[in-house]
Amino acid sequence: LISSLSVMRLNEHQDIKSAATVPEILTALPECSFPYTTICTVSVGLLSLSDSSEVLLLSFLPELLPWDNMNIPLLMSSTFIGELIGSVLLTPLADICGRRPVSLFSSFTILCAGILSSLSPNFPIFLLTRLVVGIGIGALSGPYDLLAELLPPKARGKKLLEVQYYWTLGSLLPILFLTLTKNWRVFTFLCSLPSFITFTTFLVYSCESPEWLLTQRRNEEARTILKWIYKWHGYKGNFEDTLLKPSVSLVSHDSKSDTKCLSNVHRLFERDVLPVTVPLFMVWFCFGFGYYGLVFLTSRIFTEEGG
């Protein structure tokens, strides 16, 4: 009965058509108690948690590090400089090499550089490792793209918002770890552990974005991944009853999609998109300035008053 209902539901989304987009196919996914989209959301959420944990630990490190004559402003800025480098150099690679490789590289970089930070013999090496952590964080737009392209349109807004809860949880982890130890090496090491969970989850459960594969003319690979997602959701019927049957061609939902990353960046400033681009730039600038400014300033104020 359940299988029959699933086929009926799939057929409701299927007219007689020769082509289908990835969002249309994902919209017709059968119901599942633990859908693949949940795993994708948790994986990207853990990356956001790692990002938050690795950045927020900077507000506690100045009082824990043992070295004299440290450049505290440079220490605070090191990770953010790395983020700027990573976002400029690595984010475009998600359009060239794929969402999954960039996601794996990001989590692996944060993990390795975070562990190396705890082993640093001196302050310059520590600054360098924190810079590399920032480079890994700067590539985090790749996982967000992957998640958005694996979600049905009706669930996209809700799931992307859920990722932000992990950021909040990650902000609390440095405080928790600080109650367990005052040793800066152990503290830095503990803050890097969420990246290990993230990297392992991505390595085992993630797949490439079917939408990106279509932009690379790798249609059969996209079809294979979509079939795997259907099977994950418990679909056991004949794919001839779905939009994944061989007679239906897969097409990108964006007729303007381009595999050249610079062309995609240029689209942000086209006349029809510019009214959205400019306010978003302003909102994110004000968010970063206000949020991080208050977080780091507050810790310094209480430290100075306590001294």
Side-chain angles (χ1 to χ4, degrees), residues 29-46:
L29 278 173
E31 297 294 340
C32 178
S33 58
F34 192 66
Y36 178 70
T37 52
T38 299
I39 292 182
C40 296
T41 305
V42 171
S43 300
V44 177
L46 289 173

Side-chain angles (χ1 to χ4, degrees), residues 208-266:
E208 186 53 84
S209 164
E211 185 64 41
W212 178 80
L213 289 171
L214 290 178
T215 66
Q216 305 297 306
R217 312 292 194 272
R218 295 160 61 178
N219 294 34
E220 288 308 311
E221 292 181 54
R223 188 185 302 274
T224 300
I225 288 176
L226 288 168
K227 287 182 177 180
W228 179 77
I229 294 176
Y230 263 60
K231 290 179 180 178
W232 179 282
H233 280 245
Y235 181 75
K236 299 179 180 179
N238 190 333
F239 283 104
E240 289 293 333
D241 299 322
T242 72
L243 290 173
L244 287 171
K245 60 185 179 182
S247 60
V248 178
S249 301
L250 297 180
V251 295
S252 174
H253 78 284
D254 187 354
S255 60
K256 294 184 178 181
S257 62
D258 197 324
T259 58
K260 297 180 180 179
C261 57
L262 292 180
S263 175
N264 291 334
V265 172
H266 180 266

Side-chain angles (χ1 to χ4, degrees), residues 39-55 83 99-111 133 135-147 162-171 173 191-203 206:
I39 292 182
C40 296
T41 305
V42 171
S43 300
V44 177
L46 289 173
L47 263 178
S48 180
L49 184 148
S50 302
D51 174 6
S52 177
S53 177
E54 290 287 356
V55 171
E83 287 187 36
R99 316 313 195 197
R100 186 174 185 269
V102 172
S103 301
L104 289 171
F105 177 82
S106 174
S107 58
F108 186 72
T109 301
I110 296 172
L111 170 62
V133 168
I135 292 175
I137 294 174
L140 283 181
S141 60
Y144 282 95
D145 291 341
L146 177 61
L147 176 60
E162 288 178 3
V163 171
Q164 304 307 314
Y165 294 125
Y166 292 85
W167 171 273
T168 305
L169 180 60
S171 302
L173 285 182
C191 288
S192 68
L193 288 183
S195 300
F196 174 76
I197 302 174
T198 301
F199 176 73
T200 304
T201 304
F202 255 100
L203 187 64
S206 67

